[in-house]
Amino acid sequence: MIKALISLLVILLVFFLFFFSSKFKRQTLVLSLTILIIVMSVLTLALFLLENNSEEKLYNPPEFDGEKVIPGFFDEKN
C-alpha cells in the first residue's frame, strides 16, 4: 500500500514538473529532474533488493473453552 502511495506521489511530481516547466528556469528544471531521477532509482533499487523476510507463520485464533478465553498465538512453521 505504501509503495503505491509513493509511486503515485512521484508520478504526480513528474506531471507537476513537466506541466509547469515553462515557468522554471533551465537550471532549476535540470536540478529538479536530477533529484527526481536519483529518488526514483533509489526507490526502484530498494524495491528489488529488499527481501520480504517474513517467515511463514500460522495463526491460532483465541478459543473459548466454556470458562475462560485461551489467547491466540502465532506458530512458526519451522
Side-chain angles (χ1 to χ4, degrees), residues 14-52:
V14 169
F15 283 134
F16 174 77
L17 283 175
F18 284 116
F19 186 70
F20 292 110
S21 64
S22 62
K23 295 181 183 180
F24 294 142
K25 293 181 182 178
R26 180 169 169 78
Q27 189 177 25
T28 306
L29 185 62
V30 170
L31 180 65
S32 299
L33 289 176
T34 305
I35 292 171
L36 182 67
I37 289 171
I38 290 171
V39 169
M40 289 284 288
S41 62
V42 167
L43 289 175
T44 304
L45 284 173
L47 180 69
F48 287 119
L49 295 178
L50 295 178
E51 297 177 12
N52 187 3

Side-chain angles (χ1 to χ4, degrees), residues 38-77:
I38 290 171
V39 169
M40 289 284 288
S41 62
V42 167
L43 289 175
T44 304
L45 284 173
L47 180 69
F48 287 119
L49 295 178
L50 295 178
E51 297 177 12
N52 187 3
N53 292 343
S54 64
E55 298 175 2
E56 190 172 335
K57 297 180 180 181
L58 301 173
Y59 178 67
N60 296 320
E63 298 177 0
F64 182 67
D65 68 352
E67 295 180 14
K68 63 179 183 172
V69 176
I70 301 171
F73 60 94
F74 286 96
D75 187 24
E76 293 183 8
K77 194 171 188 177

Side-chain angles (χ1 to χ4, degrees), residues 5-15 36 39-40 43:
L5 179 63
I6 291 172
S7 300
L8 182 63
L9 289 175
V10 169
I11 290 171
L12 287 175
L13 180 65
V14 169
F15 283 134
L36 182 67
V39 169
M40 289 284 288
L43 289 175

